[in-house]
Amino acid sequence: MTAYTATVTVRLKHGVLDPEAETTQQALERLGFELADLRSADRFEIDLEAADSDEAAARAGEMADRLLANPTIHDYDVTVETAE
């Protein structure tokens, strides 16, 4: 088994209201920053042991499907790196 770090990034789907991002975007614009759009996201870093990176990604994806993301309103991405 090899140690991996899986990163799961969970975002609201396009079209779902994101009040946190809206408030932050307005504050940044008041500070003089020009933005086309801003979206908030949650990032989970999961340290786990797996036979290979594909298995680590599959396990992290299952965690996202079952708990970390609501498929009705969220999209998510999984990346896997060998733990240092």
Side-chain angles (χ1 to χ4, degrees):
M1 297 292 248
T2 304
Y4 292 96
T5 298
T7 302
V8 179
T9 304
V10 180
R11 294 178 197 80
L12 290 169
K13 291 183 177 186
H14 285 287
V16 176
L17 294 179
D18 189 347
E20 179 182 9
E22 286 179 29
T23 301
T24 303
Q25 182 172 349
Q26 291 169 1
L28 287 168
E29 289 171 346
R30 281 193 302 274
L31 291 172
F33 295 99
E34 294 182 26
L35 307 173
D37 195 19
L38 180 76
R39 294 173 56 205
S40 63
D42 290 320
R43 180 175 140 173
F44 300 92
E45 292 183 1
I46 304 163
D47 295 329
L48 64 143
E49 300 269 333
D52 57 33
S53 62
D54 290 338
E55 179 185 328
R59 288 179 51 204
E62 182 179 358
M63 292 176 200
D65 286 337
R66 294 180 64 186
L67 179 68
L68 302 177
N70 176 343
T72 304
I73 61 170
H74 293 125
D75 288 324
Y76 67 86
D77 297 313
V78 176
T79 60
V80 175
E81 297 178 356
T82 304
E84 297 178 5

